[in-house]
Amino acid sequence: MSHLKEVPGDLFSELDKGDYDIVIHDCNCPNQMGAGIAKTIAERFPIAKTADNKAMAKGENKPGNISVGLTRRNGRNLFIVNAYTQQSCGRDPNIKYASLKTLQKSLAVVREKLGSTIQENGQQKARRVLMPKIGCGYGNMTWDEVEPVIQLELGAALDVTICDRH
């Protein structure tokens, strides 16, 4: 049975501790990746920015879609998922730049495109997902509204770990 758990600390420290298959973060459709977790992801995993640029060139950087960069880490594949949850970007605390609808659509696309299981040591195992409190940074959503969407779209199919800090 797959599940959702929260751990203290930041995404990158947790990534260094564990064996994860997928890292999901939210980003905006205007192809910025210039602030917050998206900026750090782009710096640490340039393949994520390359995937974002390709999505923009193809017109696929639409709300509710994703782009995916594939890299290798600790001898295994690691998918870096740019989830397009924000139609626009900004820093006004009174504007919700991300939406639950686009988050839900993006997470459903992750599940559909990347599947929920992998073969490991001759056994089927749930994919291990690592993510921040997606949409709760510059997206201006609250964790109380986001958590049930993650549980609905990913929690039953994947092992999801949420970091309480970016």
Side-chain angles (χ1 to χ4, degrees):
M1 185 71 154
S2 300
H3 65 284
L4 183 129
K5 69 176 180 175
E6 284 186 56
V7 296
D10 70 90
L11 183 116
F12 300 103
S13 295
E14 181 62 28
L15 183 59
D16 289 341
K17 288 187 225 172
D19 289 324
Y20 292 95
D21 305 300
I22 303 169
V23 172
I24 305 172
H25 73 103
D26 62 328
C27 60
N28 58 53
C29 296
N31 193 240
Q32 301 279 314
M33 293 185 86
I37 190 84
K39 180 179 180 179
T40 308
I41 291 275
E43 291 168 354
R44 299 261 316 247
F45 299 103
I47 192 71
K49 182 62 176 165
T50 299
D52 190 40
N53 290 339
K54 286 179 181 177
M56 184 172 186
K58 294 178 180 179
E60 296 172 350
N61 57 330
K62 304 283 187 230
N65 203 4
I66 65 171
S67 61
V68 181
L70 174 61
T71 190
R72 299 277 299 166
R73 185 173 173 87
N74 299 329
R76 58 188 302 143
N77 288 337
L78 178 65
F79 296 94
I80 308 296
V81 175
N82 303 316
Y84 297 110
T85 63
Q86 300 176 38
Q87 176 70 36
S88 62
C89 56
R91 297 204 178 155
D92 185 333
N94 299 310
I95 297 173
K96 283 194 176 184
Y97 294 100
S99 77
L100 293 175
K101 180 180 175 182
T102 58
L103 175 62
Q104 186 170 1
K105 285 175 68 178
S106 292
L107 296 179
V109 173
V110 168
R111 193 183 65 254
E112 291 165 15
K113 286 190 174 183
L114 298 179
S116 59
T117 61
I118 57 170
Q119 266 301 66
E120 189 171 276
N121 299 325
Q123 298 179 8
Q124 285 290 106
K125 290 191 166 191
R127 283 200 189 266
R128 292 163 294 235
V129 175
L130 180 63
M131 55 198 306
K133 289 188 172 180
I134 192 166
C136 298
Y138 288 128
N140 288 337
M141 293 193 293
T142 67
W143 184 239
D144 286 342
E145 63 186 342
V146 167
E147 183 180 21
V149 173
I150 296 170
Q151 188 65 45
L152 174 72
E153 291 301 330
L154 301 181
L158 301 151
D159 283 328
V160 180
T161 300
I162 307 293
C163 296
D164 68 0
R165 290 192 320 267
H166 285 72

